[in-house]
Amino acid sequence: MPEGNGTDGSRTRDRDPGLQPERTRLAWRRTTLACAVAASLAGRQTLHSGIDPVSLVVLALVVLAWLAFLALAHHRIRAMHAPRPPALSPRAAAAAVTCTVALAVLGAATLR
Amino acid sequence: MVSDIRLWFAPERLREEGDTPDYRFSLANERTFLAWLRTAMALVGGGFAVDQFLPETGRPLRLALALILLAAGALCALRAISHWVRCERAMRRGEDLPVSRFPIALGLAVGVVALLMVIVAAFGWGG
């Protein structure tokens, strides 16, 4: 990061002409929304067979997976405020994928 | 493949490869990764939707369709990160981007499942 991580003035000067950080930020927002839809359907799935301790635990895990994704996206969106955002870390990418796979597995476990 | 998977959890090892590319290319790669992740989530959501919104369908068929879509979603998410790591590494090394048959395979699979669901919905098979 050579220059432009200081004042607001330099931030404006170093703005990416293609608005790449902005587009990446919105991509995270869209993906969080998609995650919310998948999590809602997964939550509905767990309550399909009635409310019992097992389905409540699964429901809690579904909500947890969505919250984890939300926190991850929020963290990344904050990084997009920088004029030259650092590359996504493989750990964050793996965590996002884990949330998706967790939703699929949790929901599949409660298919009737 | 194993070294790819180890890269998922070892950011410092990815940074050791080649030179850091222009941040805009990394962000573009990240957006592609997110687009694949959304595709994965749509497939997962579709799996639940099949189970919840086609109640008249026979149980074995409904379960099979739902499980295929859920498995496709999980597979798509895992492939998304694998592709992202390989692209990132190729950019750092200045190599060509990896080619993949996955999009065509996924397209065909989704097409077949969609056709099956149309048939199920139109003729009420298994109900």
Side-chain angles (χ1 to χ4, degrees):
Chain A
M1 306 300 120
E3 76 270 353
N5 39 17
T7 64
D8 281 326
S10 66
R11 181 180 291 181
T12 317
R13 198 170 63 238
D14 283 346
R15 173 178 75 69
D16 185 315
L19 294 179
Q20 315 258 2
E22 175 93 12
R23 285 157 59 194
T24 311
R25 185 170 66 74
L26 288 170
W28 274 102
R29 282 255 183 269
R30 281 198 298 282
T31 314
T32 312
L33 195 62
C35 186
V37 172
S40 312
L41 284 167
R44 197 173 182 271
Q45 185 76 44
T46 59
L47 297 177
H48 224 59
S49 45
I51 297 172
D52 55 66
V54 176
S55 63
L56 283 180
V57 168
V58 174
L59 183 67
L61 290 174
V62 165
V63 172
L64 204 66
W66 182 70
L67 284 177
F69 196 92
L70 190 68
L72 206 66
H74 183 70
H75 186 256
R76 191 61 188 149
I77 282 169
R78 285 175 64 92
M80 288 302 141
H81 289 315
R84 288 161 198 275
L88 178 67
S89 85
R91 254 186 221 116
V97 167
T98 306
C99 291
T100 314
V101 174
L103 286 182
V105 171
L106 286 170
T110 53
L111 286 181
R112 296 169 306 134
Chain B
M1 184 65 200
V2 175
S3 70
D4 279 2
I5 291 175
R6 281 176 58 198
L7 275 181
W8 300 359
F9 302 101
E12 57 285 346
R13 284 194 53 232
L14 188 59
R15 271 185 225 122
E16 282 165 14
E17 308 257 358
D19 307 306
T20 304
D22 188 324
Y23 74 101
R24 288 171 293 181
F25 301 152
S26 288
L27 290 187
N29 190 24
E30 179 176 343
R31 287 196 297 277
T32 309
F33 164 69
L34 288 174
W36 276 109
L37 212 55
R38 282 197 294 281
T39 307
M41 283 170 184
L43 287 166
V44 169
F48 297 136
V50 165
D51 190 54
Q52 292 173 40
F53 299 110
L54 287 178
E56 314 85 37
T57 312
R59 186 171 179 271
L61 187 59
R62 192 162 38 96
L63 272 186
L65 283 175
L67 283 175
I68 288 172
L69 285 170
L70 289 174
L75 196 71
C76 195
L78 291 172
R79 187 264 175 186
I81 185 169
S82 137
H83 192 69
W84 174 79
V85 161
R86 287 165 63 204
C87 286
E88 201 74 16
R89 193 170 48 189
M91 287 195 295
R92 298 190 73 94
R93 289 178 179 168
E95 293 169 352
D96 286 344
L97 290 180
V99 290
S100 168
R101 284 194 203 90
F102 186 83
I104 183 80
L106 181 71
L108 286 174
V110 169
V112 168
V113 170
L115 201 63
L116 254 173
M117 291 204 292
V118 167
I119 294 170
V120 167
F123 299 102
W125 273 10

